[in-house]
Amino acid sequence: MRFRLLRLDVDVEIQEGDISTLEIEDRTLFARVVKALLSEVGEYAEEPYLLFDDSGKRVNPKKALHVINTLPEVPLSDRTMLAKLFKLVTERSELEPALYEQIQSLSSALMEATEDIVGGMRGDYGLAVEWSYETFLKSFGLSPITNQDYSLLDNCIRLFGFCADIGDLAPVVLVNAKSFFSENELEELFDQAVFSGTRLLLLESWIDARTFTRETKTTIDQHLCAE
């Protein structure tokens, strides 16, 4: 994918196998770019931008990127992603005949027990929603486990794995991530992003003299000049 800032005519490639870093030294511009990406309105944003796929075709900016501007918190409960997880687990259950039969048997037993309980009551009652495994997963809140023992690095890696599991190819954009990681952690973060097939863009508000393995930098200085 290619990310283009229209006003400055700056392109940033976000490719699998490489880590892209966009450093914006001007604070006003940095804030505008973050706000623009969060708005998901592309060329109509406060700082207009476009997204292109690998074939050069324009991409609808809505849900095209996972922009994380909440570090050190990592959102692992996106509804769209969870819906894909429910569907994935349901499909995997159907590929395991013994487990699938067990699930169906348990669901039938649960419905029969419920009917027996309400059958002795004065009114007439019945379940309003037809049971399905996918409905069960949603009702009982299947999601990535949240645990205070997980570090920020752990949670970022878990996000990469979550995206890979559900086949979500939208690039991940981490805002000011370098402020939260040591050098060794950044190396590990980059390695895990590449390993999971995640396209990763770091959006930074300062210029870092360091260049890490696999990292490709684009810098916009205080004079709005890009290199």
Side-chain angles (χ1 to χ4, degrees), residues 16-201:
E16 186 176 335
D18 290 314
I19 308 302
S20 300
T21 298
L22 174 58
E23 299 173 334
I24 303 176
E25 196 171 23
D26 182 85
R27 294 294 189 268
T28 301
L29 176 61
F30 176 79
R32 288 169 60 93
V33 171
V34 174
K35 186 177 180 181
L37 291 178
L38 291 172
S39 74
E40 298 186 324
V41 294
E43 62 188 310
Y44 303 106
E46 181 178 356
E47 188 64 45
Y49 70 94
L50 294 176
L51 298 172
F52 301 90
D53 64 18
D54 293 338
S55 64
K57 297 178 64 174
R58 282 182 57 175
V59 174
N60 186 333
K62 190 70 174 177
K63 300 294 184 183
L65 302 169
H66 293 300
V67 182
I68 301 177
N69 190 34
T70 56
L71 295 177
E73 295 295 324
V74 179
L76 291 166
S77 56
D78 179 84
R79 291 185 179 182
T80 302
M81 295 177 68
L82 289 177
K84 293 180 180 180
L85 177 64
F86 303 150
K87 183 177 181 181
L88 170 66
V89 174
T90 300
E91 291 174 347
R92 286 173 64 89
S93 74
E94 295 170 355
L95 298 176
E96 299 285 349
L99 291 176
Y100 185 74
E101 184 177 346
Q102 183 180 8
I103 291 168
Q104 295 303 311
S105 177
L106 291 170
S107 67
S108 297
L110 179 60
M111 287 187 288
E112 290 172 4
T114 302
E115 290 172 358
D116 289 343
I117 291 171
V118 301
M121 299 170 68
R122 291 177 181 271
D124 293 329
Y125 305 97
L127 295 170
V129 178
E130 184 176 351
W131 192 94
S132 73
Y133 189 41
E134 192 166 342
T135 301
F136 165 80
L137 297 174
K138 181 178 180 180
S139 299
F140 280 77
L142 178 70
S143 64
I145 296 172
T146 55
N147 190 316
Q148 292 183 350
D149 292 335
Y150 286 119
S151 69
L152 174 57
L153 178 60
D154 291 334
N155 283 329
C156 286
I157 293 172
R158 291 167 68 231
L159 175 65
F160 299 158
F162 188 14
C163 291
D165 283 338
I166 63 177
D168 190 330
L169 302 179
V172 173
V173 181
L174 298 180
V175 179
N176 271 336
K178 288 189 176 182
S179 299
F180 295 93
F181 296 107
S182 68
E183 290 193 16
N184 288 339
E185 287 175 329
L186 279 172
E187 293 283 7
E188 179 67 14
L189 180 76
F190 294 171
D191 286 344
Q192 291 297 325
V194 172
F195 176 76
S196 65
T198 299
R199 300 186 185 205
L200 179 61
L201 170 63

